[in-house]
Amino acid sequence: MLKNPKLWIAIIALIAVGVVIKIFFPFTTEAVRASVAVAPEVIFEIGSFPVTPTILTMVLVFILLVGFAFISTRKMEMVPGGMQNLMETIIEQMVGLFESIAGPMWAKFFSITATIFLLVIFSNYLGLIPGAGSIGFIKVSSETHTDIKDGQVCFQDQETHECEPSGIFVLADAPAFIDTYELYYKSQIEKGIEAEQHAAFVPILRAPSSDINMPLALALVSVFMTQVYGMQKQGLKYWTRFFSFGRLLKGDIAFGLIDVFVGLVELISEIFKIVSFTFRLFGNIFAGEVILLIMAFLFALLPLPFYGLEFFVAFIQAFVFAVLTAAFMRIATAEHGGGGHEGEAQH
Amino acid sequence: MEKLGVNVSWLLAQLINFILILVILRLLVYKPVLNMLATRKQKIQESLEYADKVKADAALQQKDFERKLDDARREAQSTAASAQVAAEKERQRILAEAQEEAQKIKEAARGELDYERKQMVSELRQQVIDLSLLGAQRVIGANLDDKKSRQLVENFLNEVDFGAKAGA
């Protein structure tokens, strides 16, 4: 590989391009601050429902997933070809995976775990499409700024008060974004308004998993369905996992208190599963976005290795979310009374 | 929470989105594909079993065929052997018969020869008697043609045992 002259030429050319861009467009990471927002920015509103880039991307994910599902299973044949083959391979791989984790109960959990996997992996990869997160426009909060039209900044002529549309849309390829942002920033400073705080870069597409609501929704479903399956399998006895007063009521104070304490810990850890699920996915994807953005602003070549890393992370996060869900569901359906009488008898 | 962007309407939207995708995928993909995989698995299983059966049948037939071939070969061999034995026996019989016949012919020829010789010897004897008598007549000049002289010559000849020298 190192002896390949073409590779060296490509690397040197890329570095040269990076240097040239750096010289002619000396941008700072300052601009990143405007484009990174934990809470997604609102693009527009449908009725009273605020539509964000992540919501838009989620709709795209929905269309892609359902479209793929529809095309691949339109004509099911015994000897599969094309899309059907692809879909069957994916399903078969997932069956193998979840069977190895959830055991014989896999078929019961399959819909949930497989949907989580597909949804998360589609969401993550859509966020990695070049342009997602980097093509959008500048938006200013309307409360403090008066020179806005339809929620978008106007780099307007002071005399005519007319908005120039070319100033509104910003391609977030670095130089153009910086130019526009600095222009805007300067104009705000001149007017005595602290622009940075209110200005934000709003991409059109953004990975839905970098919006905390999506991981949170999945985590809620995952944990809730775990309780449901646990109850289906063990009935009301399932709840002795968290509220085990059995031995305490029998008069065994010492062990009874231990049981109650263990149940309490179980309950807290169960609730915190929601948090850990949410922040594991959200944190990874959001951090990945920020890293890619900062690297892009630092030097033209830098995002490449990180892009490869994010590609890997996107898969791993989907995998982990689905696998953990399957594992928790298995534990919930397999546990014997959580420190109750059966557990005691076994020791 | 507000800073993190947690928002009930967005959360609800994501939840509804998830449930919708789950239902659609369940209807469109999971059920038909899992069914298809199961059917295919079963079909392959059946095909393999059928192939095994056919193979076993073929092996059985092959064995049967070989056994029959062996039988035929053995039978042919035994037939050939028995034919050889019979031929040998026949040859021996014919040979023996021929030898016997030859012996018979030889014996018959010998008998005839003996008889003829005996005949000749007795004829010769008669002639010798006649000649000697004739000679004696000439010598003594008397007719010796009576029974007594004839007996005399006969006795003489017997003494000489003419026949003994020529064989019985």
Side-chain angles (χ1 to χ4, degrees):
Chain A
M1 196 172 103
L2 289 171
K3 282 176 186 167
N4 191 347
K6 279 182 191 167
L7 191 74
W8 282 110
I9 291 170
I11 289 175
I12 290 165
L14 274 169
I15 291 173
V17 168
V19 170
V20 167
I21 292 174
K22 195 78 185 161
I23 289 167
F24 285 97
F25 306 100
F27 36 81
T28 59
T29 48
E30 191 71 4
V32 176
R33 243 201 279 170
S35 65
V36 173
V38 177
E41 298 292 334
V42 179
I43 302 178
F44 55 87
E45 293 195 2
I46 300 173
S48 62
F49 181 75
V51 177
T52 63
T54 47
I55 296 278
L56 264 186
T57 317
M58 202 67 224
V59 173
L60 195 61
V61 167
F62 181 90
I63 292 167
L64 283 174
L65 250 178
V66 172
F68 177 43
F70 182 72
I71 290 168
S72 61
T73 56
R74 198 176 26 178
K75 277 181 289 176
M76 290 286 277
E77 276 162 24
M78 207 60 192
V79 180
M83 295 295 261
Q84 193 195 336
N85 211 345
L86 181 64
M87 183 57 103
E88 278 185 12
T89 311
I90 293 170
I91 298 290
E92 214 165 8
Q93 290 299 317
M94 285 200 287
V95 167
L97 175 69
F98 295 134
E99 202 172 5
S100 71
I101 291 157
M105 295 285 283
W106 70 270
K108 199 169 176 57
F109 316 145
F110 188 76
S111 294
I112 300 267
T113 50
T115 310
I116 286 177
F117 180 77
L118 288 175
L119 199 65
V120 173
I121 203 164
F122 266 68
S123 299
N124 291 354
Y125 279 138
L126 269 185
L128 281 179
I129 289 173
S134 61
I135 296 177
F137 41 86
I138 298 256
K139 196 168 172 292
V140 195
S141 63
S142 51
E143 298 138 37
T144 51
H145 197 273
T146 45
D147 295 340
I148 47 165
K149 227 174 192 180
D150 302 330
Q152 289 164 357
V153 192
C154 291
F155 298 100
Q156 63 189 187
D157 203 306
Q158 288 294 334
E159 281 104 53
T160 57
H161 281 263
E162 293 248 334
C163 270
E164 288 190 36
S166 58
I168 295 169
F169 278 92
V170 173
L171 279 179
D173 56 308
F177 174 62
I178 296 300
D179 280 355
T180 321
Y181 184 71
E182 275 181 358
L183 254 173
Y184 164 74
Y185 183 76
K186 272 176 202 158
S187 71
Q188 294 306 299
I189 294 292
E190 278 164 19
K191 278 180 248 165
I193 301 167
E194 211 175 306
E196 236 181 308
Q197 312 259 307
H198 317 294
F201 171 74
V202 183
I204 295 168
L205 295 177
R206 201 177 145 189
S209 24
S210 68
D211 171 356
I212 199 164
N213 294 295
M214 187 259 197
L216 183 58
L218 294 190
L220 285 174
V221 169
S222 169
V223 172
F224 177 72
M225 288 314 286
T226 304
Q227 316 311 315
V228 170
Y229 288 142
M231 252 214 351
Q232 270 186 9
K233 182 82 189 203
Q234 304 182 31
L236 279 173
K237 216 183 85 208
Y238 172 75
W239 297 105
T240 59
R241 183 182 166 194
F242 306 123
F243 311 105
S244 46
F245 300 113
R247 277 204 280 196
L248 190 66
L249 291 178
K250 271 187 186 168
D252 188 348
I253 305 285
F255 282 102
L257 282 176
I258 289 173
D259 276 359
V260 171
F261 180 72
V262 167
L264 207 67
V265 171
E266 278 276 338
L267 183 65
I268 291 167
S269 79
E270 198 71 15
I271 290 165
F272 266 83
K273 270 179 197 167
I274 300 173
V275 179
S276 74
F277 263 134
T278 307
F279 280 95
R280 187 183 302 112
L281 179 58
F282 167 73
N284 272 286
I285 303 306
F286 183 75
E289 261 186 6
V290 175
I291 282 178
L292 284 181
L293 202 63
I294 289 174
M295 293 305 153
F297 276 92
L298 281 178
F299 193 75
L301 200 61
L302 266 179
L304 265 178
F306 289 96
Y307 193 84
L309 184 73
E310 286 313 311
F311 209 78
F312 181 64
V313 167
F315 172 77
I316 285 296
Q317 286 310 314
F319 181 85
V320 163
F321 208 117
V323 162
L324 278 180
T325 301
F328 288 152
M329 281 177 177
R330 185 194 187 154
I331 290 167
T333 49
E335 228 169 28
H336 296 286
H341 306 289
E342 274 187 44
E344 195 181 39
Q346 274 184 350
H347 292 297
Chain B
M1 290 298 252
E2 200 67 28
K3 281 231 165 182
L4 282 171
V6 178
N7 177 312
V8 176
S9 57
W10 293 337
L11 187 63
L12 275 178
Q14 297 284 3
L15 267 175
I16 291 164
N17 179 64
F18 177 80
I19 291 161
L20 220 63
I21 287 183
L22 180 97
V23 170
I24 291 171
L25 286 187
R26 200 181 156 84
L27 283 177
L28 277 181
V29 180
Y30 303 148
K31 273 187 179 168
V33 169
L34 287 178
N35 274 340
M36 177 59 87
L37 290 178
T39 344
R40 191 174 300 135
K41 196 172 168 186
Q42 198 186 349
K43 206 159 188 178
I44 288 170
Q45 188 81 30
E46 277 168 10
S47 300
L48 282 178
E49 270 165 18
Y50 181 71
D52 275 353
K53 212 181 73 120
V54 167
K55 215 191 270 177
D57 277 2
L60 218 67
Q61 267 179 349
Q62 176 81 9
K63 213 175 259 178
D64 196 46
F65 175 72
E66 263 166 23
R67 197 173 48 75
K68 274 183 184 160
L69 202 69
D70 257 14
D71 279 359
R73 202 173 285 146
R74 207 173 301 126
E75 206 168 311
Q77 239 163 15
S78 74
T79 310
S82 71
Q84 213 163 3
V85 166
E88 181 66 19
K89 221 183 255 170
E90 187 69 10
R91 195 178 74 90
Q92 295 284 0
R93 196 182 59 76
I94 289 169
L95 209 66
E97 241 170 44
Q99 263 169 352
E100 207 174 316
E101 194 117 330
Q103 196 69 29
K104 258 187 211 158
I105 290 169
K106 223 158 96 185
E107 264 163 28
R110 186 169 289 160
E112 209 164 319
L113 216 67
D114 264 7
Y115 172 76
E116 254 168 41
R117 211 193 61 190
K118 270 180 189 159
Q119 197 87 4
M120 268 165 63
V121 166
S122 74
E123 257 171 42
L124 199 63
R125 182 177 276 216
Q126 283 307 312
Q127 272 178 4
V128 166
I129 291 169
D130 283 351
L131 276 174
S132 49
L133 278 179
L134 212 65
Q137 256 173 0
R138 288 267 175 94
V139 170
I140 61 177
N143 197 0
L144 293 173
D145 198 17
D146 53 43
K147 271 213 176 154
K148 203 174 173 186
S149 42
R150 195 164 268 271
Q151 192 60 48
L152 264 169
V153 175
E154 192 95 14
N155 285 349
F156 169 68
L157 279 176
N158 277 348
E159 265 168 46
V160 170
D161 198 6
F162 182 76
K165 270 182 187 165

